[in-house]
Amino acid sequence: MMGKQLIPRQRTELINLEEFVPQDHLLRAIDRHLDLTEFRAHLTDFYSQIGRPSVDPELIIRMLIIGYCYGIRSERRLCEEVHLNLAYRWFCHLGIHDRVPDHSTFSKNRHGRFRDSDAFRELFESVLRRCIAENLVSGEGFATDASVIKADVRRQHAVRGVQEIDWGNPDQWTRPVREYLAALTAANPLADPPKSISLTDPGASWTATAGPAFFAYSTNYLVDVKAGIIVDVEPSSTNHGAQAQATRIMIDRVEQRFQLKPQRLIGDTGYGSASMLGWLVKQKGIEPHVPVWDMSARKDGTFAASDFIWDATANEYRCLGGQVLRSQWRTFTNPRSHITKADTILYHSTKQDCQHCSLKPQCCPNTPTRKIARSIHEDARDLARSIMDTPQYQQSRCERKKVEMLFAHLKRIVKLDRLRLRGLSGAHDEFLLAATAQNLRRLAIRLTHAALVGPSLT
């Protein structure tokens, strides 16, 4: 017999949300380990003690976590999903009849007290402290990398970087334009003009990493390799120099705020510049598990700089013909460092030694003498080269994939392949929230799995 079920839609029912959320639901696992007590205390001074109560900031954060965990990029759609989804209501501590905040609440708080108090940074660090307390962060090895995220601008709404731009009435400047001009004024000396500048978001970089060029920002991750926990995140422009500088900022900040300094740093060739390796080895005492960025190899078949023998005691090179290359061949009254603007020292032979040498066609066929530019950080580069031959380096190459996995998750699951907010501060907010959601997922899943499996026998 065919059944028939027609329930009056206006019928009033008593609903317990606890019964509708499965015990193995991701939001249940996250809720067990999400503590917003520090976050609320951090925001206390940014709320008035009198007046009408505001929307609970914890509710806003819980809704944002849902959005970044499930790839809900639109805040309008996020409000609709929380209104309809019982598990989302349960996670946000909303009853079945409680009203969901309007989507405009997010932008008002983001551009106001959240940004003034750097609330998203506090949220990220509170989750990180929980990860450290649960022994998911060892601090022995960090991996760093950057991923390019498209900016929310049109390629056509741009001008050439060398073109003088009339930004119009200062009272009508948008927030990204104000941020860009403030950074431009603070730059001393001014950086080289970019190839193209977006009139909508001038802080975005013009890049062509794959296919046609576009405007973008880079999100830089510093990841502890033990469990793949993100220990810091920093936005930057898309060039290698800015990404290396962002890594320096992150390493210093993690050391200052959490007293964590790695024994080794894992990165790709973009972090193998002489200045970066010198900073890691000499100033921080960190082993660089990074390929050396070496452009000394020659394509014309002549001897490379690596074919010359370095004598550190005598401060000179010796060529294959037994001749000497020095940075200076006479004594100066006032000692000179001979350091160039590129942080190198030029070592050269004498014309008399080279002109009668039988190896000159293979050494310097087009110049009277042979010159070698030696970086002032060459000892750090030599250390990095020696590490590349060790089994530990091969292990580090495997562990670096944990950063790549996080970026794949960021773009495919979190769906952060294009920003919704503009300006460097907008990128800062989105990158921090995304990293917070990734850490919460990793924390919840690993601890839930450990609870089900039980303590390790080892």
Side-chain angles (χ1 to χ4, degrees):
M1 178 177 179
M2 182 183 296
K4 184 177 182 181
Q5 182 178 3
L6 292 177
I7 300 176
R9 292 175 176 169
Q10 300 299 328
R11 186 178 71 177
T12 302
E13 295 188 21
L14 294 177
I15 296 178
N16 183 4
L17 293 181
E18 188 72 24
E19 299 176 357
F20 286 88
V21 183
Q23 293 298 319
D24 59 349
H25 199 282
L26 175 63
L27 291 181
R28 274 195 181 274
I30 291 178
D31 186 68
R32 296 189 193 102
H33 308 292
L34 179 62
D35 186 1
L36 296 177
T37 304
E38 295 180 1
F39 176 80
R40 293 184 65 90
H42 178 74
L43 283 176
T44 300
D45 295 337
F46 293 87
Y47 282 87
S48 174
Q49 301 301 318
I50 59 175
R52 188 176 61 182
S54 69
V55 175
D56 190 346
E58 181 174 342
L59 172 59
I60 297 175
I61 292 301
R62 285 180 175 270
M63 290 180 65
L64 287 173
I65 289 174
I66 291 174
Y68 280 88
C69 281
Y70 291 96
I72 305 175
R73 303 288 294 126
S74 169
E75 290 167 356
R76 288 178 182 266
R77 182 171 164 239
L78 176 61
C79 293
E80 295 174 357
E81 293 291 335
V82 173
H83 175 73
L84 296 173
N85 193 301
L86 295 180
Y88 294 172
R89 281 185 171 271
W90 174 88
F91 181 76
C92 294
H93 295 189
L94 290 173
I96 194 67
H97 297 294
D98 291 336
R99 183 178 178 182
V100 177
D102 187 77
H103 67 89
S104 62
T105 304
F106 294 93
S107 59
K108 289 180 180 178
N109 282 275
R110 180 188 300 113
H111 298 315
R113 57 176 61 92
F114 280 9
R115 191 160 287 165
D116 295 339
S117 63
D118 203 6
F120 295 137
R121 169 67 62 181
E122 173 60 30
L123 174 65
F124 171 81
E125 292 185 352
S126 66
V127 173
L128 178 57
R129 281 190 285 270
R130 180 61 187 270
C131 294
I132 295 174
E134 296 293 343
N135 199 29
L136 296 182
V137 176
S138 67
E140 184 273 331
F142 287 171
T144 184
D145 206 350
S147 183
V148 176
I149 308 295
K150 292 183 179 180
D152 184 29
V153 297
R154 294 178 58 190
R155 298 174 64 248
Q156 295 78 7
H157 196 201
V159 296
R160 294 180 60 85
V162 295
Q163 179 179 338
E164 186 175 351
I165 305 174
D166 182 12
W167 297 103
N169 185 358
D171 296 333
Q172 298 179 355
W173 287 348
T174 60
R175 177 185 50 79
V177 171
R178 291 196 304 269
E179 291 179 357
Y180 170 75
L181 294 179
L184 199 64
T185 303
N188 187 20
L190 294 177
D192 295 333
K195 184 176 181 180
S196 185
I197 297 178
S198 169
L199 298 177
T200 307
D201 187 355
S205 303
W206 181 251
T207 183
T209 55
F214 55 91
F215 289 101
Y217 289 93
S218 283
T219 176
N220 299 271
Y221 276 7
L222 190 65
V223 177
D224 185 90
V225 297
K226 178 181 180 180
I229 297 296
I230 306 167
V231 295
D232 207 350
V233 57
E234 180 73 13
S236 73
S237 58
T238 58
N239 62 78
H240 289 300
Q243 293 169 356
Q245 180 61 28
T247 297
R248 296 190 189 194
I249 293 173
M250 292 188 293
I251 291 176
D252 285 338
R253 184 162 52 207
V254 171
E255 181 180 4
Q256 177 185 358
R257 299 191 180 184
F258 298 97
Q259 291 73 52
L260 291 175
K261 189 177 77 169
Q263 299 177 17
R264 57 192 171 107
L265 179 72
I266 308 168
D268 58 21
T269 312
Y271 303 92
S273 64
S275 59
M276 183 66 183
L277 294 175
W279 181 81
L280 287 172
V281 174
K282 299 175 183 178
Q283 297 189 30
K284 306 303 293 185
I286 300 174
E287 287 187 1
H289 287 227
V290 179
V292 178
W293 191 333
D294 192 353
M295 305 296 292
S296 63
R298 295 192 169 192
K299 299 180 180 180
D300 58 358
T302 58
F303 298 143
S306 58
D307 296 324
F308 291 72
I309 301 174
W310 169 248
D311 187 346
T313 305
N315 188 26
E316 63 186 21
Y317 280 98
R318 191 167 293 274
C319 70
L320 277 69
Q323 305 301 329
V324 173
L325 287 77
R326 296 174 180 169
S327 59
Q328 66 178 30
W329 285 90
R330 65 184 180 87
T331 304
F332 294 91
T333 304
N334 297 321
R336 302 182 182 183
S337 64
H338 300 284
I339 299 176
T340 65
K341 293 182 179 180
D343 285 339
T344 60
I345 299 176
L346 292 177
Y347 292 81
H348 58 91
S349 59
T350 63
K351 185 177 181 180
Q352 292 79 7
D353 290 339
C354 290
Q355 64 182 356
H356 301 297
C357 182
S358 60
L359 297 177
K360 189 177 189 302
Q362 291 80 38
C363 184
C364 51
N366 301 319
T367 57
T369 61
R370 177 60 189 264
K371 295 181 181 179
I372 296 179
R374 179 180 176 85
S375 171
I376 61 175
H377 306 296
E378 195 65 29
D379 51 347
R381 286 157 56 90
D382 290 339
L383 175 62
R385 292 188 185 99
S386 65
I387 293 175
M388 292 172 64
D389 298 327
T390 63
Q392 291 78 9
Y393 179 83
Q394 300 304 322
Q395 177 65 26
S396 296
R397 292 295 90 196
C398 296
E399 292 174 333
R400 195 177 71 86
K401 296 178 181 178
K402 295 183 179 181
V403 190
E404 302 293 345
M405 294 170 61
L406 285 168
F407 286 146
H409 179 269
L410 179 71
K411 294 183 177 181
R412 301 188 63 178
I413 306 301
V414 181
K415 301 187 185 304
L416 187 56
D417 56 348
R418 184 185 181 95
L419 293 169
R420 290 188 62 253
L421 307 179
R422 292 172 178 167
L424 189 63
S425 61
H428 170 271
D429 293 347
E430 290 211 62
F431 294 160
L432 275 174
L433 282 171
T436 301
Q438 289 181 296
N439 278 350
L440 277 172
R441 288 175 62 103
R442 183 65 58 90
L443 173 68
I445 292 173
R446 287 185 69 94
L447 293 187
T448 301
H449 176 74
L452 294 175
V453 174
S456 174
L457 297 177
T458 58

